[in-house]
Amino acid sequence: MSGRVSRVVVDLDAIRHNVRRLIETSSPARVMVVVKANGYGHGAVRVAEAALEAGAHGLCVALVQEGVELRRAGIEAPILVLSEQPRDQVGELVAHGLIATAYTVAFIDALADEARRRDVVGQEVHLKVDTGMNRVGARPDAVVELGGRVLARSPQLSLGGVFTHLACADDVASPVTADQIRRFDAVIDDLRHAGVDPGWLHLANSAGAIAHSDARRDMVRVGIAMYGIAPDPSMDAMCATLRPALGLVSRVSFVKTVNAGESISYGHRHRFDRTTDVATVPIGYADGVPRRLSAVGGEVLIGGRRRPIVGVVTMDQLMVDMGDDRCAIGDEVVLIGRQGDEVVTANDWGTALGTIGYEIVCALSARLPRDYSGETPSDSQ
Ligand SMILES: *Cc1c(COP(=O)(O)O)cnc(C)c1O
């Protein structure tokens, strides 16, 4: 598979640069970088290593397995699992020294029981409070009880922090963020009045860290911005100093002339009104290039120019209209990234497809090899 011409290229220098910028922006809050979903498609271990080199305090993941992958790669930094996990994962979570998120008494007890079984003292727990996202988390009025429960299960457990997740931070003018912050602060007041030290406070995702200074408390949890992608295109200007880390590249595999009146690809949905050269590129929807990208104006870069994808994207290949320009088998194709003066971003695809850059990079499948540039001398062998 490593011989494949279609590949994801990740610039680790861009990751380091972005982490340093986010540390400056968020200071004095510490920066935890989010590497769930294989580092948003960039490769969790390599991104995590680069981010830690650049000064990130720790890592966040969605699943115990994601944390275990990082530990198996030798990473010893703090790793926070962002939600409660299935009961059969708790043993692994504790065994690998991952930081747990909890929002129910039952899960706190399961953690404490597991820690006791394994002679672990001080298993770190962060309480997650739902201040409006309505995904997971404790109701604000339940948090004092949960804090008390963690303390009651000392010394097996220790309360390391309390956090919440912002639902609308990428819509900078939305009043929801201030409302969530107010609810969070009320919960923290309640905890302190009850004599519970809440530990580290954190609310901000990338958009919160960049656009909402009052959401930066002791720590921020940045994902998308570390990859150099704005949380929303409306935040592009605020993210101008960040560098996209991911490129999606391939090479022309076949070229032919198609006559006026002929049609192309499944369903013959595109018909040529003039004779033109068409390049075939060996990448398709099984790699994460959406089938309907051509229907929404999707373009790739060949020879330093934007070229329209024509016909539906197939599972393994797509076709590009070269117009009057020539290209040859082996010519470089950039699907996401820069070529000459032109650039196509993950958010360009997202906007065209009615989604966000997050979904585009996360969908790049395991069939695509990941190549890394900007390696430190010690790991470039
Ligand atoms: C995914 C996630 C983040 C990171 O969000 P970005 O918008 O990518 O910065 C932060 N916190 C939680 C709880 C998450 O699930």
Side-chain angles (χ1 to χ4, degrees):
M1 197 108 81
S2 64
R4 218 183 147 196
V5 297
S6 300
R7 47 189 54 233
V8 170
V9 291
V10 178
D11 178 357
L12 296 174
D13 279 338
I15 297 284
R16 291 188 198 95
H17 166 87
N18 296 338
V19 169
R20 285 189 212 102
R21 293 291 308 129
L22 290 160
I23 289 172
E24 280 167 32
T25 305
S26 308
S27 172
R30 298 199 192 183
V31 170
M32 294 280 270
V33 298
V34 183
V35 295
K36 60 192 177 189
N38 194 29
Y40 293 35
H42 295 60
V45 169
R46 302 301 295 270
V47 166
E49 288 170 347
L52 292 167
E53 282 164 22
H57 174 76
L59 309 163
C60 300
V61 295
L63 307 175
V64 170
Q65 294 93 316
E66 293 173 337
V68 171
E69 185 197 358
L70 297 167
R71 286 281 183 257
R72 294 223 162 105
I75 292 172
E76 291 171 3
I79 300 173
L80 171 64
V81 183
L82 290 165
S83 297
E84 286 191 353
Q85 297 293 300
R87 230 31 67 83
D88 64 2
Q89 302 288 303
V90 172
E92 290 272 282
L93 186 156
V94 172
H96 287 92
L98 308 178
I99 303 169
T101 288
Y103 30 83
T104 61
V105 169
F107 192 71
I108 291 168
D109 285 344
L111 280 168
D113 293 346
E114 192 64 42
R116 183 185 298 279
R117 205 169 300 135
R118 292 173 184 266
D119 280 328
V120 167
V121 164
Q123 163 65 47
E124 191 172 337
V125 181
H126 287 217
L127 295 177
K128 188 177 206 174
V129 50
D130 186 354
T131 57
M133 174 78 176
N134 277 318
R135 182 171 61 176
V136 293
R139 291 164 45 97
D141 61 13
V143 176
V144 168
E145 185 202 348
L146 295 174
R149 192 69 170 201
V150 174
L151 296 189
R153 300 296 313 248
S154 158
Q156 275 74 36
L157 303 185
S158 79
L159 182 56
V162 177
F163 74 108
T164 194
H165 191 48
L166 301 175
C168 303
D170 59 334
D171 178 359
V172 174
S174 167
V176 171
T177 301
D179 191 50
Q180 287 195 265
I181 293 172
R182 211 173 306 117
R183 288 188 204 188
F184 183 74
D185 285 340
V187 167
I188 301 306
D189 280 350
D190 289 349
L191 276 169
R192 290 197 168 121
H193 280 130
V196 178
D197 175 358
W200 288 32
L201 309 183
H202 47 113
L203 308 87
N205 51 7
S206 294
I210 292 167
H212 302 273
S213 55
D214 51 346
R216 301 174 203 135
R217 297 296 166 90
D218 300 315
M219 194 168 107
V220 298
R221 309 180 304 271
V222 295
I224 200 75
M226 168 180 57
Y227 303 99
I229 300 170
D232 183 89
S234 65
M235 293 182 66
D236 275 346
M238 277 179 257
C239 297
T241 62
L242 302 175
R243 293 185 359 216
L246 180 141
L248 179 61
V249 299
S250 186
R251 292 192 179 279
V252 172
S253 61
F254 188 65
V255 192
K256 73 222 170 257
T257 301
V258 179
N259 294 319
E262 289 192 63
S263 298
I264 193 166
S265 195
Y266 292 118
H268 270 190
R269 295 202 195 155
H270 180 86
R271 188 169 181 274
F272 294 95
D273 52 18
R274 62 184 188 120
T275 298
T276 188
D277 270 16
V278 170
T280 300
V281 185
I283 188 168
Y285 63 75
D287 302 301
V289 181
R291 183 169 181 271
R292 49 188 288 271
L293 187 58
S294 56
V296 296
E299 294 173 318
V300 305
L301 307 179
I302 300 177
R305 289 186 53 189
R306 306 178 85 93
R307 320 275 180 177
I309 304 171
V310 282
V312 296
V313 173
T314 72
M315 190 183 296
D316 317 299
Q317 308 183 68
L318 57 80
M319 279 72 81
V320 176
D321 189 346
M322 293 299 295
D324 296 328
D325 293 329
R326 295 282 159 273
C327 72
I329 291 175
D331 282 1
E332 184 195 59
V333 181
V334 171
L335 293 101
I336 295 174
R338 179 175 291 281
Q339 192 187 58
D341 295 333
E342 290 286 353
V343 58
V344 177
T345 68
N347 271 331
D348 288 342
W349 284 27
T351 301
L353 291 157
T355 181
I356 52 178
Y358 295 76
E359 187 176 357
I360 302 301
V361 290
C362 286
L364 298 175
S365 77
R367 193 169 76 166
L368 291 166
R370 267 71 175 165
D371 276 358
Y372 295 90
S373 65
E375 297 163 272
T376 49
S378 62
D379 61 13
S380 62
Q381 71 274 4

